[in-house]
Protein backbone atom coordinates (compact mmCIF):
# COMPACT_ATOMS: atom_id res chain seq x y z
CA UNK A 1 0.00 0.00 0.00
CA UNK A 2 1.30 3.47 -0.93
CA UNK A 3 0.75 4.82 2.58
CA UNK A 4 2.97 2.05 3.96
CA UNK A 5 5.95 3.95 2.53
CA UNK A 6 5.90 6.09 5.68
CA UNK A 7 7.41 3.10 7.53
CA UNK A 8 10.65 3.63 5.64
CA UNK A 9 13.35 6.06 6.73
CA UNK A 10 12.70 8.80 9.28
CA UNK A 11 8.94 9.29 9.67
CA UNK A 12 9.17 11.48 12.79
CA UNK A 13 7.32 14.79 12.91
CA UNK A 14 10.67 16.58 13.35
CA UNK A 15 11.56 15.28 9.89
CA UNK A 16 8.24 16.05 8.18
CA UNK A 17 7.84 19.55 9.61
CA UNK A 18 11.06 21.09 8.20
CA UNK A 19 10.64 19.11 4.95
CA UNK A 20 7.13 20.45 4.30
CA UNK A 21 8.15 23.95 5.40
CA UNK A 22 11.10 23.83 2.99
CA UNK A 23 8.83 22.79 0.11
CA UNK A 24 6.31 25.54 0.88
CA UNK A 25 9.14 28.08 1.20
CA UNK A 26 10.61 27.01 -2.13
CA UNK A 27 7.17 27.45 -3.74
CA UNK A 28 6.85 31.01 -2.44
CA UNK A 29 10.42 31.75 -3.50
CA UNK A 30 9.44 30.64 -6.99
CA UNK A 31 6.37 32.90 -6.86
CA UNK A 32 8.47 35.81 -5.60
CA UNK A 33 10.95 35.35 -8.45
CA UNK A 34 7.98 35.15 -10.83
CA UNK A 35 6.60 38.51 -9.66
CA UNK A 36 10.04 40.13 -9.88
CA UNK A 37 10.64 38.85 -13.41
CA UNK A 38 7.14 39.80 -14.58
CA UNK A 39 7.56 43.25 -13.06
CA UNK A 40 10.93 43.74 -14.72
CA UNK A 41 9.76 42.53 -18.11
CA UNK A 42 6.60 44.66 -17.90
CA UNK A 43 8.67 47.73 -17.01
CA UNK A 44 11.08 47.16 -19.92
CA UNK A 45 8.18 46.79 -22.34
CA UNK A 46 6.19 49.74 -21.05
CA UNK A 47 3.45 47.54 -19.63
CA UNK A 48 1.58 47.75 -16.35
CA UNK A 49 1.64 45.44 -13.33
CA UNK A 50 -1.33 46.46 -11.21
CA UNK A 51 -3.17 44.15 -8.81
CA UNK A 52 -5.92 43.69 -11.39
CA UNK A 53 -3.39 42.71 -14.07
CA UNK A 54 -1.70 40.22 -11.75
CA UNK A 55 -4.99 38.60 -10.73
CA UNK A 56 -6.12 38.18 -14.32
CA UNK A 57 -2.60 37.43 -15.63
CA UNK A 58 -3.30 39.59 -18.67
CA UNK A 59 0.08 39.47 -20.42
CA UNK A 60 -0.98 41.90 -23.15
CA UNK A 61 -1.35 44.64 -20.52
CA UNK A 62 2.12 43.72 -19.22
CA UNK A 63 3.47 44.40 -22.70
CA UNK A 64 4.56 40.82 -23.37
CA UNK A 65 3.30 37.94 -25.49
CA UNK A 66 1.36 35.02 -24.06
CA UNK A 67 4.23 32.65 -24.81
CA UNK A 68 6.74 34.75 -22.90
CA UNK A 69 4.36 35.09 -19.96
CA UNK A 70 3.59 31.36 -20.01
CA UNK A 71 7.32 30.54 -20.07
CA UNK A 72 7.99 32.78 -17.05
CA UNK A 73 5.14 31.21 -15.06
CA UNK A 74 6.18 27.65 -15.88
CA UNK A 75 9.82 28.40 -15.05
CA UNK A 76 8.82 29.44 -11.52
CA UNK A 77 7.90 25.80 -10.75
CA UNK A 78 11.50 24.69 -11.17
CA UNK A 79 12.32 26.09 -7.72
CA UNK A 80 9.75 24.07 -5.70
CA UNK A 81 10.33 20.98 -7.88
CA UNK A 82 13.99 20.83 -6.92
CA UNK A 83 13.01 21.82 -3.39
CA UNK A 84 11.37 18.39 -3.13
CA UNK A 85 14.74 16.70 -3.49
CA UNK A 86 16.30 18.80 -0.75
CA UNK A 87 13.32 18.17 1.54
CA UNK A 88 13.56 14.38 1.22
CA UNK A 89 16.99 14.50 2.90
CA UNK A 90 15.22 14.94 6.25
CA UNK A 91 13.56 11.53 5.82
CA UNK A 92 16.68 9.55 4.88
CA UNK A 93 14.82 7.55 2.25
CA UNK A 94 14.68 7.56 -1.57
CA UNK A 95 12.57 10.11 -3.41
CA UNK A 96 10.86 7.19 -5.13
CA UNK A 97 9.07 6.28 -1.87
CA UNK A 98 7.11 9.56 -2.11
CA UNK A 99 6.05 8.67 -5.66
CA UNK A 100 5.20 4.98 -5.74
CA UNK A 101 5.11 1.77 -3.73
CA UNK A 102 6.72 -0.05 -6.67
CA UNK A 103 10.45 -0.75 -6.92
CA UNK A 104 10.78 1.68 -9.83
CA UNK A 105 8.72 4.35 -11.54
CA UNK A 106 6.23 2.75 -13.94
CA UNK A 107 6.35 4.86 -17.11
CA UNK A 108 3.83 2.54 -18.78
CA UNK A 109 1.23 3.64 -16.24
CA UNK A 110 2.02 7.29 -16.94
CA UNK A 111 1.65 6.68 -20.67
CA UNK A 112 -1.57 4.73 -20.12
CA UNK A 113 -3.09 7.60 -18.12
CA UNK A 114 -2.03 10.17 -20.73
CA UNK A 115 -3.60 8.11 -23.51
CA UNK A 116 -6.90 7.27 -21.81
CA UNK A 117 -7.48 10.68 -20.22
CA UNK A 118 -6.47 12.33 -23.49
CA UNK A 119 -9.09 10.28 -25.36
CA UNK A 120 -11.72 11.18 -22.76
CA UNK A 121 -10.84 14.89 -22.98
CA UNK A 122 -10.78 14.86 -26.76
CA UNK A 123 -14.06 12.95 -27.00
CA UNK A 124 -15.92 15.18 -24.54
CA UNK A 125 -14.59 18.34 -26.22
CA UNK A 126 -15.60 17.09 -29.64
CA UNK A 127 -19.10 16.28 -28.36
CA UNK A 128 -19.39 19.75 -26.83
CA UNK A 129 -18.25 21.32 -30.10
CA UNK A 130 -20.96 19.56 -32.11
CA UNK A 131 -23.58 20.67 -29.58
CA UNK A 132 -22.43 24.32 -29.58
CA UNK A 133 -19.97 25.08 -32.42
CA UNK A 134 -20.48 28.84 -32.12
CA UNK A 135 -18.84 28.75 -28.70
CA UNK A 136 -15.51 27.73 -30.24
CA UNK A 137 -13.08 30.03 -32.00
CA UNK A 138 -10.05 28.92 -34.01
CA UNK A 139 -6.99 30.80 -32.73
CA UNK A 140 -4.25 28.63 -34.25
CA UNK A 141 -1.13 30.45 -35.42
CA UNK A 142 1.65 28.09 -36.53
CA UNK A 143 4.73 30.00 -35.29
CA UNK A 144 3.26 30.86 -31.88
CA UNK A 145 1.76 27.38 -31.54
CA UNK A 146 5.10 25.62 -32.08
CA UNK A 147 6.75 27.62 -29.30
CA UNK A 148 3.78 27.05 -27.01
CA UNK A 149 3.90 23.31 -27.70
CA UNK A 150 7.61 23.13 -26.81
CA UNK A 151 7.26 25.23 -23.64
CA UNK A 152 4.35 23.10 -22.43
CA UNK A 153 6.11 19.82 -23.28
CA UNK A 154 9.28 20.82 -21.42
CA UNK A 155 7.90 22.58 -18.34
CA UNK A 156 4.59 20.89 -17.53
CA UNK A 157 6.36 17.75 -16.22
CA UNK A 158 8.05 19.90 -13.55
CA UNK A 159 4.85 21.73 -12.56
CA UNK A 160 2.69 18.61 -12.52
CA UNK A 161 5.27 16.47 -10.72
CA UNK A 162 5.74 19.11 -8.03
CA UNK A 163 2.01 19.35 -7.29
CA UNK A 164 1.46 15.60 -7.35
CA UNK A 165 4.48 14.68 -5.21
CA UNK A 166 3.78 17.44 -2.70
CA UNK A 167 0.04 16.89 -2.25
CA UNK A 168 -0.36 13.18 -2.91
CA UNK A 169 3.15 12.23 -1.81
CA UNK A 170 4.48 14.36 1.05
CA UNK A 171 1.22 15.70 2.50
CA UNK A 172 -0.71 12.47 1.97
CA UNK A 173 1.94 10.46 3.80
CA UNK A 174 2.31 13.10 6.53
CA UNK A 175 -1.44 13.17 7.22
CA UNK A 176 -1.62 9.40 6.92
CA UNK A 177 1.13 9.17 9.51
CA UNK A 178 -0.90 11.35 11.86
CA UNK A 179 -4.42 9.97 11.31
CA UNK A 180 -3.46 6.42 10.20
CA UNK A 181 -6.48 6.10 7.86
CA UNK A 182 -6.02 6.80 4.11
CA UNK A 183 -9.56 8.20 3.75
CA UNK A 184 -8.80 11.08 6.14
CA UNK A 185 -5.54 11.94 4.41
CA UNK A 186 -7.32 11.66 1.04
CA UNK A 187 -10.07 14.13 1.98
CA UNK A 188 -7.70 16.66 3.55
CA UNK A 189 -5.19 16.66 0.68
CA UNK A 190 -8.05 17.04 -1.84
CA UNK A 191 -9.30 20.15 -0.03
CA UNK A 192 -5.77 21.56 0.30
CA UNK A 193 -5.17 20.92 -3.40
CA UNK A 194 -8.28 22.95 -4.18
CA UNK A 195 -7.31 25.79 -1.87
CA UNK A 196 -3.86 26.03 -3.46
CA UNK A 197 -5.59 27.07 -6.70
CA UNK A 198 -7.78 29.70 -5.03
CA UNK A 199 -5.56 32.51 -6.33
CA UNK A 200 -5.88 31.38 -9.95
CA UNK A 201 -7.21 33.90 -12.50
CA UNK A 202 -10.33 31.80 -13.19
CA UNK A 203 -11.33 32.14 -9.53
CA UNK A 204 -11.02 35.91 -9.96
CA UNK A 205 -13.04 35.67 -13.20
CA UNK A 206 -15.86 33.29 -12.18
CA UNK A 207 -15.89 33.31 -8.39
CA UNK A 208 -14.51 31.15 -5.56
CA UNK A 209 -17.56 28.96 -4.93
CA UNK A 210 -18.08 28.21 -8.61
CA UNK A 211 -14.51 27.11 -9.26
CA UNK A 212 -13.44 25.53 -5.97
CA UNK A 213 -15.63 22.37 -6.11
CA UNK A 214 -14.04 21.53 -9.46
CA UNK A 215 -10.52 21.77 -8.05
CA UNK A 216 -11.41 19.70 -4.98
CA UNK A 217 -13.15 17.05 -7.11
CA UNK A 218 -10.13 16.83 -9.42
CA UNK A 219 -7.84 16.52 -6.39
CA UNK A 220 -10.12 13.82 -4.94
CA UNK A 221 -10.08 11.88 -8.22
CA UNK A 222 -6.27 12.07 -8.50
CA UNK A 223 -5.94 11.09 -4.84
CA UNK A 224 -8.29 8.12 -5.22
CA UNK A 225 -6.44 6.75 -8.24
CA UNK A 226 -3.17 7.15 -6.29
CA UNK A 227 -4.52 5.14 -3.35
CA UNK A 228 -6.06 2.38 -5.46
CA UNK A 229 -3.02 2.04 -7.73
CA UNK A 230 -0.40 2.43 -4.97
CA UNK A 231 1.47 5.20 -6.73
CA UNK A 232 1.41 8.61 -8.40
CA UNK A 233 2.11 7.42 -11.93
CA UNK A 234 -1.46 7.61 -13.22
CA UNK A 235 -2.16 10.85 -11.35
CA UNK A 236 0.92 12.43 -12.94
CA UNK A 237 -0.15 11.25 -16.40
CA UNK A 238 -3.72 12.54 -15.98
CA UNK A 239 -2.58 15.87 -14.53
CA UNK A 240 -0.04 16.35 -17.33
CA UNK A 241 -2.36 15.70 -20.28
CA UNK A 242 -5.15 17.68 -18.59
CA UNK A 243 -2.96 20.79 -18.34
CA UNK A 244 -1.32 20.19 -21.72
CA UNK A 245 -4.68 19.83 -23.49
CA UNK A 246 -5.98 23.00 -21.86
CA UNK A 247 -2.88 25.07 -22.63
CA UNK A 248 -2.19 23.84 -26.15
CA UNK A 249 -5.49 22.49 -27.46
CA UNK A 250 -8.60 24.21 -26.12
CA UNK A 251 -8.35 27.10 -23.68
CA UNK A 252 -11.00 29.45 -22.32
CA UNK A 253 -11.44 33.02 -21.09
CA UNK A 254 -10.19 33.53 -17.55
CA UNK A 255 -8.05 30.39 -17.52
CA UNK A 256 -4.96 30.26 -15.30
CA UNK A 257 -3.06 29.27 -18.44
CA UNK A 258 -3.06 32.34 -20.68
CA UNK A 259 -1.90 30.75 -23.93
CA UNK A 260 -2.36 31.03 -27.68
CA UNK A 261 -3.99 27.62 -27.91
CA UNK A 262 -5.35 26.14 -31.14
CA UNK A 263 -8.95 26.83 -30.03
CA UNK A 264 -10.63 29.12 -27.54
CA UNK A 265 -13.93 28.48 -25.79
CA UNK A 266 -15.76 31.81 -25.59
CA UNK A 267 -17.93 31.06 -22.54
CA UNK A 268 -17.92 28.28 -19.94
CA UNK A 269 -20.19 27.17 -17.13
CA UNK A 270 -17.88 26.33 -14.20
CA UNK A 271 -20.57 24.26 -12.48
CA UNK A 272 -20.85 21.95 -15.50
CA UNK A 273 -17.19 21.07 -15.02
CA UNK A 274 -18.07 19.43 -11.71
CA UNK A 275 -20.21 16.86 -13.52
CA UNK A 276 -17.57 16.54 -16.22
CA UNK A 277 -14.95 15.51 -13.67
CA UNK A 278 -17.32 13.02 -12.03
CA UNK A 279 -18.30 11.41 -15.34
CA UNK A 280 -14.83 11.47 -16.91
CA UNK A 281 -13.24 10.26 -13.67
CA UNK A 282 -15.69 7.36 -13.44
CA UNK A 283 -14.98 6.31 -17.03
CA UNK A 284 -11.23 6.42 -16.40
CA UNK A 285 -11.57 4.39 -13.20
CA UNK A 286 -13.47 1.64 -15.00
CA UNK A 287 -10.96 1.46 -17.87
CA UNK A 288 -7.99 1.54 -15.47
CA UNK A 289 -9.54 -1.22 -13.35
CA UNK A 290 -10.02 -3.41 -16.42
CA UNK A 291 -6.33 -3.05 -17.26
CA UNK A 292 -4.75 -3.10 -13.79
CA UNK A 293 -7.33 -4.77 -11.52
CA UNK A 294 -7.15 -2.59 -8.41
CA UNK A 295 -7.71 -4.32 -5.07
CA UNK A 296 -10.79 -2.27 -4.30
CA UNK A 297 -11.97 0.66 -2.19
CA UNK A 298 -11.12 -1.14 1.05
CA UNK A 299 -7.70 0.54 0.77
CA UNK A 300 -9.39 3.77 1.81
CA UNK A 301 -10.26 2.44 5.26
CA UNK A 302 -7.32 0.13 5.91
CA UNK A 303 -5.26 1.75 8.71
CA UNK A 304 -1.50 1.90 8.56
CA UNK A 305 -0.02 -0.68 10.93
CA UNK A 306 3.22 0.49 12.51
CA UNK A 307 5.07 -1.76 14.91
CA UNK A 308 5.80 -0.70 18.48
CA UNK A 309 9.51 -0.81 17.68
CA UNK A 310 9.02 1.65 14.82
CA UNK A 311 6.93 3.90 17.02
CA UNK A 312 9.60 3.96 19.69
CA UNK A 313 12.40 4.74 17.26
CA UNK A 314 10.58 7.24 15.06
CA UNK A 315 7.82 8.54 17.29
CA UNK A 316 6.33 12.00 17.00
Amino acid sequence: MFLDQIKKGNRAFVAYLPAVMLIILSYFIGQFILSIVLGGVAMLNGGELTEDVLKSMDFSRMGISNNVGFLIIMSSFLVPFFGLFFAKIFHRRPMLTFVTAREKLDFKRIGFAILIWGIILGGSTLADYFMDPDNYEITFEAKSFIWLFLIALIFFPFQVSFEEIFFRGYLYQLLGNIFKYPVIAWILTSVLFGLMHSANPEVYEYGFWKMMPGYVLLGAFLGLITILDDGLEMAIGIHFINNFFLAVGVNYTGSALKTDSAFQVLTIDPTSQWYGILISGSIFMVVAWLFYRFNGFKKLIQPVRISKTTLTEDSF
Side-chain angles (χ1 to χ4, degrees), residues 62-276:
M62 296 181 195
I64 58 179
S65 69
N66 283 343
N67 278 347
V68 171
F70 181 58
L71 175 61
I72 294 172
I73 288 178
M74 287 294 101
S75 299
S76 69
F77 283 96
L78 292 175
V79 179
F81 174 80
F82 288 108
L84 292 169
F85 290 86
F86 286 101
K88 69 100 177 176
I89 295 173
F90 291 100
H91 301 282
R92 299 196 299 274
R93 59 182 169 105
M95 190 69 196
L96 186 66
T97 60
F98 291 99
V99 181
T100 182
R102 285 170 273 275
E103 294 183 358
K104 61 180 180 179
L105 193 64
D106 192 339
F107 287 98
K108 288 184 178 179
R109 275 176 157 81
I110 297 175
F112 169 84
I114 290 174
L115 175 63
I116 301 303
W117 193 251
I119 291 173
I120 293 172
L121 279 178
S124 59
T125 302
L126 194 61
D128 185 63
Y129 171 78
F130 282 119
M131 287 189 291
D132 188 11
D134 293 335
N135 197 34
Y136 286 78
E137 180 182 7
I138 299 175
T139 52
F140 176 82
E141 292 183 9
K143 185 177 179 181
S144 176
F145 183 84
I146 291 172
W147 282 111
L148 169 62
F149 185 92
L150 292 174
I151 294 169
L153 191 64
I154 293 170
F155 287 96
F156 267 139
F158 293 102
Q159 180 251 333
V160 166
S161 296
F162 161 68
E163 291 189 9
E164 289 304 315
I165 295 172
F166 179 54
F167 283 99
R168 280 163 279 279
Y170 270 93
L171 287 185
Y172 174 69
Q173 291 185 12
L174 168 61
L175 295 170
N177 199 7
I178 295 173
F179 297 106
K180 301 300 181 288
Y181 285 91
V183 65
I184 299 176
W186 171 53
I187 293 172
L188 291 176
T189 51
S190 300
V191 173
L192 290 172
F193 178 78
L195 290 175
M196 179 197 177
H197 294 82
S198 61
N200 280 11
E202 57 260 38
V203 176
Y204 175 70
E205 179 79 18
Y206 299 103
F208 180 88
W209 294 110
K210 285 186 177 180
M211 295 303 302
M212 197 51 51
Y215 294 131
V216 174
L217 282 172
L218 179 60
F221 165 58
L222 295 173
L224 182 60
I225 201 73
T226 296
I227 295 170
L228 296 181
D229 194 44
D230 288 326
L232 292 172
E233 290 96 338
M234 287 194 190
I236 289 173
I238 293 168
H239 201 157
F240 170 79
I241 194 61
N242 193 78
N243 287 10
F244 190 87
F245 185 87
L246 177 63
V248 177
V250 184
N251 210 335
Y252 62 90
T253 303
S255 169
L257 303 171
K258 291 290 189 295
T259 60
D260 297 322
S261 56
F263 296 88
Q264 285 280 337
V265 177
L266 302 180
T267 60
I268 67 165
D269 176 13
T271 57
S272 67
Q273 295 183 340
W274 309 351
Y275 308 111

Side-chain angles (χ1 to χ4, degrees), residues 22-34:
L22 176 59
I23 296 170
I24 294 174
L25 177 62
S26 66
Y27 172 78
F28 280 109
I29 290 174
Q31 294 300 299
F32 177 73
I33 294 174
L34 166 65

Side-chain angles (χ1 to χ4, degrees), residues 33-47 49 62 64 72:
I33 294 174
L34 166 65
S35 62
I36 294 298
V37 173
L38 282 178
V41 172
M43 186 179 298
L44 289 173
N45 288 277
L49 202 68
M62 296 181 195
I64 58 179
I72 294 172

